[in-house]
């Protein structure tokens, strides 16, 4: 996912710096934006056994054909950035015709920033009902866009219908529970908590506990190695985590604080107070497994 995340961020930077170019020039969109995303998704963009440009169909030429297991799995149709593919119907209908006339089940429409994956045909359904996923890398949170785009990776695309259905079900459930009054933080912790573990947020600790493990939320819950199984050990683990993230003078100051606290006796309740202060000042989320 890290490579895809870097590619998405790079595409966003390119669009912001050269928007006028991509609005006017479809070829630039293909070479600078679409190719970078697909390569990060694991497709060998210059290998005709995986990607074929200008694939002929009965209804015209598709910009690309994605090859999987020796056959065309999906057509990719590119537009310039000036075409709002999320609102205009014709580009999606054009792609669907390419797919239908060639018996290709899936299509991907993109202008570099917006992406639509569609199931090209299904009896008794409308085209928009067959859209499997939509992504807008400029307007959505990066992690959300990366997760959705990952379904188009070479290793996952064969399961595109099931994965997109699971993702949509999760989104609808999350939205529904929020509307019922459940806090977002509670829902995220429910989804990310480990089976069978007794994990408690720092704010709910009393200072009398003996921690088995500590976690910090950083695009998901990350386990922090404990120097010792105590509240002080949790504090030291958090300081080491902060040191790794910091730079320059701030990093040196955190190291000094760590060395100072490591060698001195520290009351558990005092250590807990420091942890809570760090959570508030550094915008951290810390939990402890008991």
């Amino acid at each position: 996912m890290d490579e895809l995340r870097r590619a998405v961020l790079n595409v966003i930077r390119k669009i912001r710096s050269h928007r006028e170019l991509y609005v006017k020039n479809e070829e630039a969109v293909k070479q600078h934006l679409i190719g970078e995303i697909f390569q990060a998704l694991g497709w060998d963009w210059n290998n005709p056994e995986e990607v074929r440009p200008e694939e002929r169909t009965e209804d015209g030429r598709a910009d690309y054909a994605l090859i999987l297991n020796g056959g065309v799995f999906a057509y990719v149709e590119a537009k310039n950035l000036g075409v709002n593919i999320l609102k205009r119907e014709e580009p999606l209908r054009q792609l669907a015709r390419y797919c239908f006339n060639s018996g290709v089940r899936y299509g991907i429409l993109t202008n570099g920033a917006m992406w639509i994956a569609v199931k090209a045909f299904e009896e008794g359904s409308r085209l928009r009902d067959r859209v499997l996923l939509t992504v807008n890398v400029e307007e959505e949170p990066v992690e959300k866009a990366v997760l959705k785009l990952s379904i188009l990776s070479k290793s996952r695309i064969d399961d595109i219908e099931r994965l997109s259905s699971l993702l949509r079900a999760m989104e609808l459930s999350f939205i529904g529970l929020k509307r019922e009054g459940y806090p977002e933080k509670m829902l995220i912790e429910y989804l990310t908590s480990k089976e069978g573990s007794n994990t408690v947020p720092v704010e709910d600790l009393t200072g009398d506990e003996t921690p088995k493990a500590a976690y910090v939320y950083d695009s998901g819950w990350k386990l922090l190695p404990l120097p010792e199984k105590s509240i002080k050990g949790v504090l030291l683990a958090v300081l080491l985590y902060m040191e790794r993230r910091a730079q320059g003078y701030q990093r040196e100051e955190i190291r000094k604080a760590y060395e100072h606290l490591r060698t001195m006796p520290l009351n558990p309740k005092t250590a807990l107070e420091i942890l809570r202060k760090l959570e508030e000042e550094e915008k951290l989320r810390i939990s402890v497994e008991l």
Side-chain angles (χ1 to χ4, degrees), residues 4-15:
L4 179 55
R5 187 177 188 276
R6 286 192 294 271
V8 168
L9 289 171
N10 200 34
V11 162
I12 293 170
R13 284 192 289 268
K14 288 178 183 178
I15 291 173

Side-chain angles (χ1 to χ4, degrees), residues 193-222:
S193 61
K194 296 195 303 179
E195 190 71 27
S197 70
N198 182 16
T199 306
V200 181
V202 160
E203 62 192 53
D204 294 335
L205 296 175
T206 64
D208 298 325
E209 298 85 358
T210 302
K212 294 180 181 177
Y215 299 86
V216 64
Y217 193 84
D218 183 359
S219 301
W221 288 104
K222 304 291 178 66

Side-chain angles (χ1 to χ4, degrees), residues 10-47:
N10 200 34
V11 162
I12 293 170
R13 284 192 289 268
K14 288 178 183 178
I15 291 173
R16 289 174 179 171
S17 299
H18 307 285
R19 181 176 298 275
E20 188 174 348
L21 169 66
Y22 299 125
V23 166
K24 296 178 179 179
N25 192 323
E26 182 180 303
E27 196 60 34
V29 169
K30 293 178 185 178
Q31 293 189 27
H32 299 172
L33 309 181
I34 297 173
E36 178 160 2
I37 293 294
F38 271 112
Q39 287 183 109
L41 287 166
W43 295 93
D44 188 346
W45 203 239
N46 297 311
N47 183 353

Side-chain angles (χ1 to χ4, degrees), residues 160-224:
I160 185 172
E161 288 189 53
R162 187 180 69 87
L163 292 175
S164 60
S165 177
L166 286 172
L167 189 58
R168 182 60 179 155
M170 183 181 72
E171 289 177 343
L172 290 174
S173 298
F174 192 81
I175 292 168
L177 287 166
K178 281 182 66 178
R179 287 175 178 166
E180 292 294 327
Y182 288 94
E184 183 174 313
K185 180 180 178 182
M186 178 185 289
L187 295 174
I188 292 173
E189 288 178 349
Y190 175 86
L191 291 171
T192 57
S193 61
K194 296 195 303 179
E195 190 71 27
S197 70
N198 182 16
T199 306
V200 181
V202 160
E203 62 192 53
D204 294 335
L205 296 175
T206 64
D208 298 325
E209 298 85 358
T210 302
K212 294 180 181 177
Y215 299 86
V216 64
Y217 193 84
D218 183 359
S219 301
W221 288 104
K222 304 291 178 66
L223 176 65
L224 302 180

Side-chain angles (χ1 to χ4, degrees), residues 224-253:
L224 302 180
L226 288 182
E228 58 183 71
K229 291 186 176 180
S230 65
I231 300 297
K232 176 184 174 181
V234 174
L235 173 58
L236 294 175
V238 170
L239 287 172
L240 288 173
Y241 163 78
M242 291 173 58
E243 182 190 12
R244 289 194 299 270
R245 295 179 65 200
Q247 294 180 347
Y249 174 76
Q250 185 183 30
R251 187 170 190 170
E252 293 176 10
E253 290 300 304

